[in-house]
Amino acid sequence: MASTSSGLVDRTMKPLPEVRATSQVWWGLGILVAAFLVGLPLVADRGTFTLFMATGLALGYILTRSRFGYAGGVKRIYLTGEGSLTEALVLTFALASVFTAGIHWAAARGGAVVAAVAKKGDAIIPGTQNVGVIGVGLVVGGALFGIGMIMAGGCASGTLADLGEGAVRAAFSLPTFIIGSVIGVWMTYELKGSSLGQIGTAVYLPDTLGYPGAVAVTLAGLLAVYVITRRYEHKRKTEGRFAVEKWSDSEKELPEQPASEPYKFFSYRTFHTLFVTRWSFTTGAVLLAFMFVFILNTTKKSWGITSVFSEWGVWLLNLVGIHLDHPAFADVNTAVAGGVVNLGTGVRDVGIILGAAVALLLASRFRFDINFRGVDLMTHMVGGLLMGIGARLANGCNIGALYSGIGNLSLSGWVFGFALWAGALGALKYFGGKVNIIGPNPHSLPKNFVYPAARPSEPAPSLEKS
């Protein structure tokens, strides 16, 4: 198949299929019902299953309906110069950190302590399980994850959402992601047992700055990212290397209903508004921040995705008669022994896949995407492997280490972010134009070049330097 490296720039800019047969709506509703009917009889705790599945469905729906992506915060702005997604990420991080600070403060007032120093019987401040150790594992893991997410076409949440949206490449990168996670568990164990692995420290900002100071520093850091983003946008505009995505007419809100027409709830206008109209990145950012806080409140832990991948991997190996008895897998084996269907994070991850599918099915625009070559597929699979290793070394991905790190006022989130950015940028420069989901280096293109999937939404001003 022909590669479209100059067109399919990022999953956040992927042109969605036009609205198709309305029978897809019934498939979407059927998946929502089946998600619970199939799962509930198999689990030990139906209430927990319902909570995790419902939050997963909501997350997947939001990610797809708003075309939101965490990897795109680096990839999209590098390839097009347009930073609306990066700015939306700043917003969702800011909202999460502010509201989480209140939860942390209340828990600390009640006697709870940070997870890293908690003793048996101590109450833990919710979310501080994501206060990571700043050491070689975090830095190397972040860089590997950044490289991998570019090669695979999305981070952990993006891979799950892509799979739900019908991107067949994700069906190949997810298994290697799982394999990499199993390898990463062993590598992390060996690293922690070495002298190099003993070097590092966990920094919970409120311990040093207090909660007001921690929030202020976090917001200041996010403001700096916003300013850098806007300055970079301006630079790309002046260079003539800037492209703004244009939504298709089917994604936009319908024109205002004429006063002469009677209002009908059961109409195409209602269907379009409820299920088809694309949400903005800002809407996605606000809703994801709400889900972040909701998960923290209901589970007493922060949102994470990849920790269960190693457990899925060990479970699959057990099915084929391969048992990993190395001490590195002691906790994983204990978790798997409790039943794979009872792994809450796994239930939520499956919910993300289903929620992304439901978002397209309810809009009647689901279609399988098989646009890749053999070389593309191999790149995606290696990317998944690197993400799995990196996520375990860093103890998280874009969600668990970055979003839940910064959102829970940990310095580790910022360090992971810098390492991830460096790895992702290097991968973008190396793989630009060589893989179907990575457009060419923007500086190799003529000035005012417009990606086919990112047509300007308005006449472009003169961008030549004066």
Side-chain angles (χ1 to χ4, degrees):
M1 299 179 187
S3 177
T4 56
S5 61
S6 63
L8 187 51
V9 177
D10 182 66
R11 72 172 299 273
T12 66
M13 302 174 70
K14 176 182 175 182
L16 293 177
E18 293 300 313
V19 176
R20 307 178 77 190
T22 54
S23 60
Q24 287 193 352
V25 175
W26 298 109
W27 280 101
L29 294 174
I31 287 176
L32 288 176
V33 174
F36 295 97
L37 290 184
V38 173
L40 284 172
L42 303 175
V43 298
D45 187 332
R46 294 186 175 186
T48 299
F49 174 87
T50 300
L51 173 66
F52 277 84
M53 177 58 73
T55 51
L57 288 167
L59 289 166
Y61 188 90
I62 294 166
L63 288 168
T64 293
R65 185 73 183 270
S66 62
R67 310 307 301 149
F68 206 92
Y70 290 84
V74 179
K75 183 178 179 183
R76 180 186 174 101
I77 189 172
Y78 171 78
L79 292 173
T80 69
E82 193 274 317
S84 60
L85 177 57
T86 308
E87 293 162 12
L89 284 165
V90 168
L91 174 61
T92 197
F93 280 47
L95 290 172
S97 61
V98 169
F99 288 108
T100 297
I103 296 172
H104 285 203
W105 176 83
R109 291 272 293 180
V113 298
V114 177
V117 299
K119 300 176 182 177
K120 186 176 181 180
D122 285 343
I124 295 175
I125 298 174
T128 57
Q129 298 91 335
N130 294 81
V131 177
V133 174
I134 301 171
V136 65
L138 183 72
V139 175
V140 174
L144 288 177
F145 192 88
I147 295 169
M149 75 180 189
I150 297 302
M151 295 174 66
C155 60
S157 60
T159 298
L160 296 177
D162 280 342
L163 184 60
E165 292 170 12
V168 176
R169 59 177 171 77
F172 292 86
S173 59
L174 181 57
T176 59
F177 200 149
I178 293 171
I179 293 170
S181 297
V182 175
I183 297 172
V185 168
W186 171 78
M187 291 178 65
T188 301
Y189 179 87
E190 295 297 330
L191 177 62
K192 288 182 177 179
S194 69
S195 57
L196 185 61
Q198 299 301 314
I199 302 173
T201 184
V203 179
Y204 180 53
L205 294 176
D207 283 344
T208 304
L209 306 172
Y211 286 100
V215 171
V217 167
T218 299
L219 294 181
L222 293 170
L223 178 61
V225 174
Y226 175 82
V227 171
I228 292 171
T229 300
R230 296 305 301 268
R231 286 183 178 275
Y232 183 72
E233 277 188 326
H234 179 72
K235 176 178 179 292
R236 290 286 291 269
K237 288 178 181 178
T238 60
E239 292 176 346
R241 306 185 190 281
F242 180 83
V244 179
E245 179 184 13
K246 181 181 180 181
W247 293 6
S248 66
D249 290 339
S250 64
E251 293 180 294
K252 299 176 183 176
E253 293 184 5
L254 294 176
E256 186 175 349
Q257 183 177 4
S260 58
E261 294 182 6
Y263 169 75
K264 295 181 179 179
F265 178 77
F266 294 103
S267 64
Y268 177 77
R269 179 177 293 276
T270 300
F271 165 74
H272 191 280
T273 300
L274 292 180
F275 302 119
V276 180
T277 302
R278 175 173 167 175
W279 291 343
S280 68
F281 289 145
T282 300
T283 299
V286 173
L287 291 175
L288 288 170
F290 170 82
M291 293 302 302
F292 184 95
V293 175
F294 180 83
I295 290 171
L296 188 64
N297 263 324
T298 54
T299 67
K300 306 307 176 185
K301 293 183 179 179
S302 201
W303 181 18
I305 288 181
T306 59
S307 61
V308 77
F309 286 2
S310 58
E311 293 160 358
W312 282 352
V314 168
W315 174 71
L316 289 170
L317 289 173
N318 288 344
L319 288 182
V320 296
I322 300 175
H323 301 281
L324 301 178
D325 298 323
H326 191 280
F329 300 98
D331 291 340
V332 176
N333 285 325
T334 299
V336 172
V340 70
V341 295
N342 295 312
L343 299 172
T345 301
V347 171
R348 187 191 293 135
D349 286 354
V350 172
I352 291 175
I353 298 171
L354 298 179
V358 166
L360 294 187
L361 288 169
L362 292 182
S364 291
R365 60 195 316 168
F366 180 89
R367 183 174 62 193
F368 287 106
D369 177 7
I370 56 173
N371 184 26
F372 52 78
R373 305 166 300 173
V375 65
D376 300 324
L377 199 59
M378 289 302 298
T379 304
H380 303 330
M381 293 173 68
V382 173
L385 188 71
L386 292 178
M387 281 197 293
I389 294 172
R392 296 285 44 87
L393 286 172
N395 196 30
C397 60
N398 276 358
I399 302 300
L402 180 63
Y403 192 17
S404 289
I406 294 176
N408 285 290
L409 308 176
S410 173
L411 185 60
S412 64
W414 290 97
V415 175
F416 178 87
F418 285 123
L420 176 140
W421 173 82
L425 185 60
L428 284 168
K429 289 180 177 293
Y430 180 81
F431 289 101
K434 300 176 182 178
V435 185
N436 66 322
I437 52 171
I438 306 176
N441 186 318
H443 293 285
S444 69
L445 300 172
K447 284 191 175 183
N448 300 313
F449 175 83
V450 178
Y451 289 97
R455 299 295 182 187
S457 57
E458 58 186 8
S462 175
L463 299 178
E464 298 292 333
K465 291 184 179 180
S466 57

